[in-house]
Amino acid sequence: MGDGDLIFSEDVWLSRSGGKRLNYMGKHLKDDLSRDAVRRFAREKGALLATWTYDYDCDEEWPWYNYVCDTVDYDTDKIKSKKARYYVRRSLKGCTVRQVDYLWLADNGYDVYANAASRYSNFEPMSREKFREKTRSLSEIPGFEALGVFVDKKLVAYALLRTCGQSIQVRVAKFDPAYSKLYPMYALYYMIVYHYLKEEGYKEIDNGSRALLHETDIGDFLLRLGWRKAYGRLGLYLTPSVRAMLSLARIFRKVCKLLLPSRHYAILESLLAAQDIAKATRKH
């Protein structure tokens, strides 16, 4: 199997928006992907757009980056922020972090997911049954692991992780805001790095690229914990119909804001932002 087969294998592309969007989640790319190859793959999957990051961890400070941690011998002493160190220690005293089984999480994780989703604007959460089905399906894919944060015996936060070579990808991280005073995300992210980097010997924890759709403060949070930005270039494939729609949306942007539901307008804005970033970071 060649590199092209591995890059376009189904398990390294995350399907979103009902299969209409594909996001590459495989090993980090130095070189850009062939647009023709992406077009054929997207057409085969029935997707309207695809995104990927290339020229990963380059020297240029582009408006596109992943949040990563690769600090050798990571522990609380390596966290420069005094306030972050305090919250990590406080969180570890009040919370317990341990690995959980995906089948268990499928049956017991929905309340955390739904309560976390209540914090997001322009986001429509899955139903309980869909959450259960999707989470159970991950148990069948090699390399997927999950960590849960517990207060006493109650799950209050979790992370879905996947091994990718010498990297650990944080695919999802959720917490119940009712327990925010216990700072469960500090314990969760600290233990992800401490366990997989220091204890297991992986080289990097990758929390994925900056958000385009949802407004979150995860980036500042991770930087306080000693993470960094790994800059790269954004690859973007759009079908001709989507490109035409976005061209019109740029002309009638104000009208779109008035007429579209807030969620649909937020998605439109994220696509326009992706176009701008892909253009700004494109190799000439």
Side-chain angles (χ1 to χ4, degrees):
M1 183 179 288
D3 290 344
D5 296 321
L6 292 173
I7 290 171
F8 290 104
S9 62
E10 191 168 329
D11 63 336
V12 299
W13 289 84
L14 185 63
S15 177
R16 291 180 171 173
S17 303
K20 299 304 180 183
R21 174 184 172 183
L22 298 173
N23 184 23
Y24 176 76
M25 297 292 289
K27 291 185 177 181
H28 295 309
L29 302 170
K30 277 297 180 185
D31 298 323
D32 196 3
L33 297 179
S34 161
R35 292 303 189 281
D36 286 340
V38 175
R39 176 181 53 78
R40 289 192 297 270
F41 183 72
R43 181 179 295 176
E44 177 186 327
K45 299 301 177 185
L48 299 177
L49 66 148
T51 60
W52 62 96
T53 297
Y54 66 102
D55 200 12
Y56 174 76
D57 208 5
C58 62
D59 295 330
E60 299 285 345
E61 293 192 6
W62 300 112
W64 189 248
Y65 45 81
N66 285 27
Y67 289 103
V68 303
C69 187
D70 52 7
T71 303
V72 177
D73 293 328
Y74 183 88
D75 59 23
T76 52
D77 292 335
K78 294 295 180 74
I79 300 174
K80 294 181 179 180
S81 168
K82 183 178 180 180
K83 195 172 185 179
R85 290 197 305 271
Y86 167 78
Y87 286 133
V88 167
R89 289 172 178 140
R90 179 174 174 178
S91 179
L92 290 172
K93 286 181 180 179
C95 304
T96 301
V97 184
R98 66 173 184 264
Q99 286 191 316
V100 294
D101 181 82
Y102 269 86
L103 298 179
W104 181 91
L105 188 64
D107 293 331
N108 296 276
Y110 184 78
D111 289 344
V112 173
Y113 164 79
N115 291 339
S118 68
R119 300 169 52 243
Y120 309 142
S121 59
N122 305 309
F123 179 77
E124 185 175 340
M126 292 180 280
S127 67
R128 185 179 294 271
E129 186 54 38
K130 183 65 176 179
F131 173 87
R132 185 173 183 270
E133 176 188 338
K134 186 173 182 180
T135 306
R136 287 180 69 89
S137 70
L138 296 176
S139 67
E140 303 171 1
I141 304 176
F144 268 94
E145 298 182 11
L147 291 184
V149 182
F150 295 83
V151 174
D152 297 325
K153 294 183 179 180
K154 182 176 178 56
L155 181 73
V156 301
Y158 66 84
L160 309 184
L161 313 166
R162 190 177 188 187
T163 59
C164 186
Q166 288 298 302
S167 178
I168 296 289
Q169 298 174 345
V170 182
R171 291 290 185 91
V172 173
K174 303 291 184 185
F175 82 97
D176 187 336
Y179 292 85
S180 59
K181 290 184 179 180
L182 295 175
Y183 307 101
M185 293 298 274
Y186 280 89
L188 178 61
Y189 270 93
Y190 174 78
M191 288 305 300
I192 289 172
V193 179
Y194 183 86
H195 173 67
Y196 286 101
L197 282 193
K198 189 166 185 176
E199 296 184 333
E200 295 293 324
Y202 284 88
K203 302 301 183 185
E204 176 191 76
I205 312 296
D206 180 3
N207 199 65
S209 57
R210 52 159 289 190
L212 288 172
L213 180 57
H214 304 301
E215 292 293 334
T216 71
D217 59 357
I218 187 66
D220 291 338
F221 166 75
L222 293 175
L223 294 175
R224 289 195 300 271
L225 286 177
W227 293 50
R228 66 181 180 88
K229 294 178 181 179
Y231 293 94
R233 303 174 192 265
L234 174 61
L236 177 67
Y237 165 75
L238 303 169
T239 62
S241 59
V242 173
R243 287 201 304 271
M245 180 269 291
L246 291 180
S247 295
L248 288 173
R250 286 188 185 277
I251 299 171
F252 300 105
R253 207 162 186 162
K254 292 182 179 180
V255 177
C256 290
K257 187 173 184 178
L258 291 173
L259 296 180
L260 291 176
S262 59
R263 172 171 168 76
H264 292 166
Y265 183 72
I267 293 172
L268 174 63
E269 283 291 304
S270 73
L271 294 177
L272 293 173
Q275 269 194 318
D276 292 340
I277 294 170
K279 182 179 180 180
T281 62
R282 185 180 304 140
K283 281 189 174 181
H284 299 287

Tab-separated table of all heavy atoms in Angstrom, residues 9 16-17 20 41 59 73 82 86 164 207 222 232 249:
chain	number	residue	atom	x	y	z
A	9	SER	N	-7.248	6.628	2.741
A	9	SER	CA	-8.009	5.561	3.377
A	9	SER	C	-9.111	6.201	4.209
A	9	SER	O	-8.957	7.292	4.769
A	9	SER	CB	-7.105	4.682	4.253
A	9	SER	OG	-6.533	5.438	5.301
A	16	ARG	N	-18.129	14.976	8.599
A	16	ARG	CA	-18.967	15.884	9.376
A	16	ARG	C	-20.111	16.411	8.516
A	16	ARG	O	-20.130	16.216	7.310
A	16	ARG	CB	-18.140	17.060	9.908
A	16	ARG	CG	-17.139	16.653	10.995
A	16	ARG	CD	-16.358	17.838	11.483
A	16	ARG	NE	-15.553	17.496	12.663
A	16	ARG	CZ	-14.666	18.309	13.208
A	16	ARG	NH1	-14.459	19.509	12.691
A	16	ARG	NH2	-13.973	17.924	14.267
A	17	SER	N	-21.050	17.071	9.181
A	17	SER	CA	-22.196	17.683	8.494
A	17	SER	C	-22.918	16.671	7.610
A	17	SER	O	-23.208	16.924	6.443
A	17	SER	CB	-21.740	18.887	7.649
A	17	SER	OG	-21.080	19.834	8.456
A	20	LYS	N	-21.147	15.658	4.341
A	20	LYS	CA	-20.904	16.664	3.307
A	20	LYS	C	-19.543	17.337	3.447
A	20	LYS	O	-19.075	17.991	2.520
A	20	LYS	CB	-22.006	17.729	3.338
A	20	LYS	CG	-23.393	17.176	3.064
A	20	LYS	CD	-23.452	16.443	1.736
A	20	LYS	CE	-24.835	15.900	1.457
A	20	LYS	NZ	-24.866	15.108	0.186
A	41	PHE	N	-11.782	11.699	-4.397
A	41	PHE	CA	-12.126	11.092	-3.121
A	41	PHE	C	-13.421	11.705	-2.575
A	41	PHE	O	-14.313	10.993	-2.103
A	41	PHE	CB	-10.981	11.286	-2.133
A	41	PHE	CG	-11.204	10.639	-0.796
A	41	PHE	CD1	-11.160	9.261	-0.654
A	41	PHE	CD2	-11.459	11.413	0.328
A	41	PHE	CE1	-11.364	8.658	0.576
A	41	PHE	CE2	-11.666	10.830	1.569
A	41	PHE	CZ	-11.619	9.440	1.691
A	59	ASP	N	7.882	27.273	9.898
A	59	ASP	CA	8.411	28.437	10.608
A	59	ASP	C	7.558	29.691	10.434
A	59	ASP	O	7.701	30.646	11.196
A	59	ASP	CB	9.851	28.731	10.137
A	59	ASP	CG	10.804	27.602	10.502
A	59	ASP	OD1	10.557	26.936	11.525
A	59	ASP	OD2	11.783	27.400	9.768
A	73	ASP	N	9.411	15.560	29.407
A	73	ASP	CA	9.252	15.404	30.860
A	73	ASP	C	8.207	16.356	31.429
A	73	ASP	O	8.400	16.988	32.478
A	73	ASP	CB	10.591	15.604	31.581
A	73	ASP	CG	11.591	14.505	31.269
A	73	ASP	OD1	11.142	13.364	31.051
A	73	ASP	OD2	12.791	14.787	31.233
A	82	LYS	N	1.686	30.478	36.819
A	82	LYS	CA	1.471	30.135	38.225
A	82	LYS	C	0.005	29.821	38.489
A	82	LYS	O	-0.328	28.887	39.234
A	82	LYS	CB	1.939	31.299	39.108
A	82	LYS	CG	1.824	31.031	40.600
A	82	LYS	CD	2.355	32.216	41.398
A	82	LYS	CE	2.238	31.956	42.903
A	82	LYS	NZ	2.754	33.127	43.682
A	86	TYR	N	-1.744	26.236	39.778
A	86	TYR	CA	-2.654	26.179	40.928
A	86	TYR	C	-3.933	25.428	40.566
A	86	TYR	O	-4.390	24.553	41.318
A	86	TYR	CB	-2.983	27.596	41.391
A	86	TYR	CG	-4.132	27.662	42.358
A	86	TYR	CD1	-3.956	27.334	43.706
A	86	TYR	CD2	-5.404	28.042	41.930
A	86	TYR	CE1	-5.022	27.380	44.596
A	86	TYR	CE2	-6.470	28.099	42.809
A	86	TYR	CZ	-6.274	27.766	44.141
A	86	TYR	OH	-7.326	27.803	45.015
A	164	CYS	N	-1.886	8.171	16.505
A	164	CYS	CA	-1.549	8.354	15.089
A	164	CYS	C	-0.033	8.421	15.006
A	164	CYS	O	0.561	9.492	15.153
A	164	CYS	CB	-2.200	9.620	14.546
A	164	CYS	SG	-1.984	9.859	12.767
A	207	ASN	N	-4.170	18.727	19.674
A	207	ASN	CA	-5.578	19.017	19.937
A	207	ASN	C	-6.339	19.462	18.695
A	207	ASN	O	-7.503	19.847	18.767
A	207	ASN	CB	-5.703	20.109	21.007
A	207	ASN	CG	-7.069	20.147	21.645
A	207	ASN	OD1	-7.465	19.203	22.323
A	207	ASN	ND2	-7.809	21.227	21.437
A	222	LEU	N	-5.068	26.160	26.584
A	222	LEU	CA	-3.960	25.242	26.308
A	222	LEU	C	-2.610	25.953	26.388
A	222	LEU	O	-1.630	25.370	26.888
A	222	LEU	CB	-4.150	24.592	24.936
A	222	LEU	CG	-5.340	23.640	24.816
A	222	LEU	CD1	-5.494	23.153	23.386
A	222	LEU	CD2	-5.211	22.463	25.774
A	232	GLY	N	0.778	25.861	10.134
A	232	GLY	CA	0.732	25.107	8.883
A	232	GLY	C	-0.091	25.847	7.856
A	232	GLY	O	-0.495	27.000	8.059
A	249	ALA	N	-22.303	34.799	-1.811
A	249	ALA	CA	-22.453	35.164	-0.397
A	249	ALA	C	-21.543	36.328	-0.029
A	249	ALA	O	-21.915	37.171	0.792
A	249	ALA	CB	-22.142	33.956	0.489
